[in-house]
Amino acid sequence: MNLLNDLANPVRFERYARMIFPAVLGFALLTGAAGLYFALFNSPADYQQGEAVRIMYVHVPAAWMSMFCYSVMAGASAVGFIWKHPLADVAAKETAPLGAGFTILALFTGSLWGKPMWGAWWVWDARLTSVLVLLFLYLGYMALWRAIPDKARAARLAAILAIVGFVNVPVIKFSVEWWNSLHQPASIIRADGPTIDGAMLTPLLLMIAAYMSAYVAMLLPSIRNELTARRLARLQFVDETRAAELVEQ
Amino acid sequence: MSALGAIIARDIRLAFRAGGGAAQGVTFFALTGVMFALAVGPDIALISKIAGPVLWTGALLATQISLDQIWRADREDGSLDVLVETSDMLALTALAKAFAHWAATALPLIIATPILGVMLNLPAEAYAPLAISLAIGTPGLSLIGCIAGALVVSLPRAHLLIAIIVSPLYVPILIFGSGAAMSDVGAPQYGANLMLLGATVLFAAILSPLASAAALRSNLD
């Protein structure tokens, strides 16, 4: 809580952000490189899926991040809404496009994997469909932010939408699974077997760490950009009112 | 309590009088059915097979286009300020508004469903599931739509934005509603879909008034 209060001060936040950014970026690059090496060269091909299983190492972390970012967004929205924490609002806002990016990546890699496995680029599989709906939740949140000119009001309203969306995510996910099990014959090969071999787990965990730190490494500069943009807008506003006053005189 | 009754009565009266949108909603609903039939072609077997889902989608779209008016009309004539300032529990007011919206837009659709059902060659045994699933599910559409309408009430025009915000949240209602409409009465999916539909709507009935009230307060300060 103390740290949270500290971070409410934009100057102090920028100091922290500048301090940890190189470390986070470095960690992301290292784990990403190591993860990709293991994923592409140093892990076994699947006995059923063959080499296509390697798509999993970029796909599963992306799918995981799509949900993780939405949770962060909703959590930050709640903090911003309840305690009027200015930086939480900015963090929620800047997480949305990153989360949407991970979601698109998950959908894209999922359909790349689906082509050899299912024989179609897109299958109305329960997971694919619920991730697609999640993407639209992100887009709605971003559209609301863009539509409202007053930032303080936009933050509060977008926070309400994020929270409403978040409590609905389990309902949506469940409904899509239900829909799928009723409409589709269960003949598809499961993406991930019940157990996963250690040789496959190492690259997967490395990639998850890489995605997580890449997210933080992208989030920090975008928060700083947003803070700078707001400061600039304020300065311009002051300039304009001053100019208007001068004209009146 | 009488205040809530007055809000409901006033909204319904406004919707059905000149300039209200109740008739337009039903017309739009009928048109979506016609458009689907025209797009599919005169294959009566195919039309009859998709009639249930088509009517559910039509009801959803017809509800969706009227959401922008739930709060906007009150905002334009100033009564929204009075509602927000005077009501002890804004959430209950929001619940009353959602109910009035349902009665003015969804209820006429449910009444019009049998006529459209005949035109789309809906199988005789499918009328009851369709009507019951619409009756249980459409209040959920109004409730969730009430939140979206409250979120955008201070913006000049927001039809498209509302549709983008609300469609993903409508997914469970559409799935369970259409699922119940397509299954036979007595089949296990039928009861399960209806119960899940009811649960989703009850959940929305708790969430929507609170979220709508919060959104209205944020929009008016």
Side-chain angles (χ1 to χ4, degrees):
Chain A
M1 208 57 217
N2 224 342
L3 182 69
L4 215 59
N5 282 336
D6 255 21
L7 289 177
N9 180 335
V11 179
R12 216 168 290 159
F13 168 80
E14 294 209 7
R15 210 170 52 224
Y16 285 139
R18 221 174 282 237
M19 230 155 53
I20 63 169
F21 175 71
V24 177
L25 184 66
F27 185 73
L29 291 175
L30 272 178
T31 47
L36 279 180
Y37 167 73
F38 275 105
L40 296 179
F41 304 108
N42 204 354
S43 66
D46 189 76
Y47 78 102
Q48 258 183 335
Q49 305 173 19
E51 299 294 336
V53 74
R54 301 187 197 285
I55 297 174
M56 177 185 79
Y57 302 115
V58 285
H59 170 75
V60 170
W64 204 72
M65 288 307 291
S66 70
M67 201 48 238
F68 177 78
C69 285
Y70 202 86
S71 316
V72 169
M73 198 176 92
S77 295
V79 171
F81 189 83
I82 297 166
W83 289 293
K84 298 206 158 65
H85 193 290
L87 237 98
D89 287 337
V90 181
K93 183 190 178 207
E94 297 306 322
T95 294
L98 297 174
F102 283 121
T103 313
I104 291 173
L105 190 62
L107 289 171
F108 179 68
T109 49
S111 92
L112 279 186
W113 179 88
K115 185 63 181 165
M117 290 302 126
W118 293 332
W121 292 110
W122 186 268
V123 170
W124 290 96
D125 163 67
R127 287 193 200 183
L128 243 63
T129 312
S130 57
V131 171
L132 182 67
V133 177
L134 186 66
L135 175 64
F136 283 112
L137 282 174
Y138 274 119
L139 295 181
Y141 174 86
M142 284 154 70
L144 187 65
W145 256 108
R146 277 168 168 268
I148 303 167
D150 175 26
K151 297 257 183 195
R153 177 179 290 174
R156 294 185 67 72
L157 293 171
I160 296 172
L161 182 61
I163 296 165
V164 168
F166 185 68
V167 297
N168 267 300
V169 162
V171 185
I172 293 172
K173 201 167 162 39
F174 176 68
S175 69
V176 171
E177 259 162 40
W178 180 265
W179 163 77
N180 182 264
S181 61
L182 276 182
H183 284 242
Q184 234 189 306
S187 62
I188 22 172
I189 315 156
R190 298 284 296 186
D192 33 9
T195 52
I196 182 161
D197 189 69
M200 289 182 174
L201 198 61
T202 316
L204 191 59
L205 288 179
L206 279 170
M207 288 308 281
I208 288 177
Y211 272 62
M212 283 282 269
S213 41
Y215 158 66
V216 178
M218 286 187 281
L219 181 67
L220 291 176
S222 25
I223 292 180
R224 279 173 53 198
N225 282 347
E226 175 71 13
L227 291 176
T228 313
R230 286 188 185 187
R231 207 170 304 147
L232 209 61
R234 254 195 318 274
L235 287 176
Q236 268 167 356
F237 178 71
V238 173
D239 270 0
E240 275 161 23
T241 32
R242 219 175 267 157
E245 279 168 11
L246 285 176
V247 170
E248 274 173 28
Q249 283 166 9
Chain B
M1 218 48 220
S2 61
L4 297 183
I7 292 172
I8 294 172
R10 162 181 167 275
D11 272 21
I12 294 176
R13 219 174 294 142
L14 280 173
F16 282 101
R17 296 225 168 133
Q24 290 172 13
V26 181
T27 315
F28 181 84
F29 177 54
L31 276 171
T32 53
V34 173
M35 293 297 165
F36 261 108
L38 290 176
V40 167
D43 178 353
I44 208 90
L46 183 57
I47 290 182
S48 131
K49 203 176 163 205
I50 62 168
V54 163
L55 289 176
W56 243 102
T57 316
L60 188 145
L61 292 175
T63 312
Q64 197 165 286
I65 55 159
S66 63
L67 294 176
D68 200 27
Q69 281 306 312
I70 299 184
W71 300 105
R72 186 173 306 284
D74 286 352
R75 162 124 179 143
E76 279 164 2
D77 65 16
S79 49
L80 185 59
D81 293 294
V82 182
L83 281 179
V84 173
E85 293 301 326
T86 56
S87 63
D88 311 327
M89 285 188 72
L90 189 54
L92 280 182
T93 310
L95 194 60
K97 290 286 288 182
F99 178 78
H101 176 262
W102 176 79
T105 56
L107 205 53
L109 300 188
I110 298 172
I111 295 168
T113 304
I115 305 168
L116 272 161
V118 172
M119 286 166 66
L120 295 177
N121 216 33
L122 189 72
E125 67 277 7
Y127 280 89
L130 179 62
I132 291 171
S133 64
L134 279 175
I136 295 177
T138 45
L141 301 179
S142 293
L143 283 164
I144 294 175
C146 205
I147 309 176
L151 284 174
V152 301
V153 73
S154 61
L155 298 174
R157 250 169 306 141
H159 275 302
L160 205 55
L161 184 58
I162 284 190
I164 293 174
I165 288 175
V166 106
S167 296
L169 300 175
Y170 275 177
V171 164
I173 296 180
L174 182 65
I175 288 176
F176 296 139
S178 186
M182 283 206 298
S183 42
D184 302 325
V185 183
Q189 306 98 292
Y190 175 70
N193 269 313
L194 276 191
M195 274 188 259
L196 289 166
L197 182 64
T200 312
V201 173
L202 285 177
F203 182 53
I206 295 167
L207 183 66
S208 158
L210 298 173
S212 305
L216 288 175
R217 289 228 167 79
S218 308
N219 257 317
L220 292 183
D221 56 31

